[in-house]
């Protein structure tokens, strides 16, 4: 399937799979006492990928899905899960790997994300697919916005760290 054939759900699910692989790699690095610089770089990559993904969902995906599927409980839970993940992301980005609980925070973030992805895949995505939303057009919008966000990673990082203050 080419990128232009991916609808919104395919694009979001590809992000989910890529992130799952990044967490798997991180667990291997942590288990093998990999150098701090490698762990930190990978943790930061994970945090930025998740931040971009969450912004895509919050800005472009969740609003039309919320309206179309009329399941406020499911959508509210997704937003709370994003907020919890964002809190951990901010903590991870403000730490160094030698600090106590660093690896644990990355691990717990991975567990949060795994749970969140499972709910999206099992509940939200099937409802969105049945809803009649133009998922192909939405996929195009998500791809375009993702490119914009990837072009300014430092701005995203600063936005996150400002929330610490």
């Amino acid at each position: 399937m080419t990128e232009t054939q991916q609808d919104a759900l395919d694009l979001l699910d590809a992000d989910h799979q890529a992130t799952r692989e990044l967490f798997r790699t991180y667990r291997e690095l942590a288990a093998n006492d990999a150098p701090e610089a490698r762990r930190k770089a990978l943790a930061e990559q994970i945090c930025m990928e998740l931040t971009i993904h969450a912004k895509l969902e919050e800005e472009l995906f969740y609003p039309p899905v919320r309206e179309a599927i009329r399941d406020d409980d499911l959508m509210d839970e997704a937003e709370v899960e994003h907020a919890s993940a964002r809190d951990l992301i901010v903590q991870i980005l403000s730490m160094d790997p030698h600090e106590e609980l660093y690896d644990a925070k990355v691990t717990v973030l991975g567990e949060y994300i795994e749970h969140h992805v499972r709910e999206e895949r099992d509940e939200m995505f099937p409802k969105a697919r049945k809803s009649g939303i133009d998922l192909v057009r939405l996929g195009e919008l998500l791809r375009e916005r993702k490119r914009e966000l990837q072009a300014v990673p430092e701005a995203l990082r600063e936005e996150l760290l400002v929330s610490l203050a």
Side-chain angles (χ1 to χ4, degrees):
M1 179 180 310
T2 66
E3 185 177 280
T4 55
Q5 293 173 314
Q6 282 188 321
D7 69 17
L9 303 182
D10 296 329
L11 183 130
L12 294 173
D13 202 43
D15 281 358
H16 294 158
Q17 291 173 21
T19 304
R20 178 180 293 120
E21 184 60 25
L22 292 173
F23 277 113
R24 187 195 61 72
T25 301
Y26 187 90
R27 283 190 305 273
E28 287 177 9
L29 290 178
N32 293 311
D33 293 322
E36 287 184 11
R38 285 188 63 200
R39 291 194 345 263
K40 184 170 181 71
L42 183 55
E44 289 185 357
Q45 180 185 356
I46 289 168
C47 289
M48 296 317 298
E49 294 291 331
L50 290 174
T51 299
I52 289 170
H53 181 83
K55 284 183 92 55
L56 292 175
E57 287 184 336
E58 291 165 6
E59 291 176 4
L60 298 171
F61 184 70
Y62 286 174
V65 170
R66 179 181 286 275
E67 186 174 317
I69 70 171
R70 305 229 177 266
D71 187 339
D72 286 340
D73 288 343
L74 179 64
M75 300 308 296
D76 290 349
E77 285 177 28
E79 289 184 22
V80 170
E81 289 167 356
H82 275 204
S84 296
R86 193 168 18 261
D87 289 345
L88 265 178
I89 287 169
V90 168
Q91 291 175 44
I92 292 165
L93 289 176
S94 67
M95 296 175 74
D96 286 315
H98 68 272
E99 291 182 65
E100 193 173 342
L101 303 181
Y102 184 88
D103 289 332
K105 289 182 182 198
V106 176
T107 298
V108 170
L109 179 61
E111 292 167 355
Y112 272 8
I113 298 305
E114 191 63 37
H115 169 82
H116 177 72
V117 165
R118 201 169 27 255
E119 284 189 346
E120 283 188 345
R121 274 187 166 166
D122 295 348
E123 298 178 47
M124 187 186 300
F125 286 10
K127 289 179 180 185
R129 193 159 303 281
K130 291 178 189 173
S131 73
I133 295 172
D134 185 348
L135 294 171
V136 172
R137 175 68 183 131
L138 190 51
E140 293 167 2
L141 294 172
L142 289 169
R143 260 188 302 286
E144 181 179 319
R145 181 68 174 133
K146 185 175 183 176
R147 280 191 289 271
E148 290 171 3
L149 293 169
Q150 288 172 327
V152 290
E154 281 308 309
L156 279 176
R157 182 185 171 88
E158 288 305 313
E159 182 181 315
L160 281 169
L161 293 177
V162 163
S163 66
L164 272 176

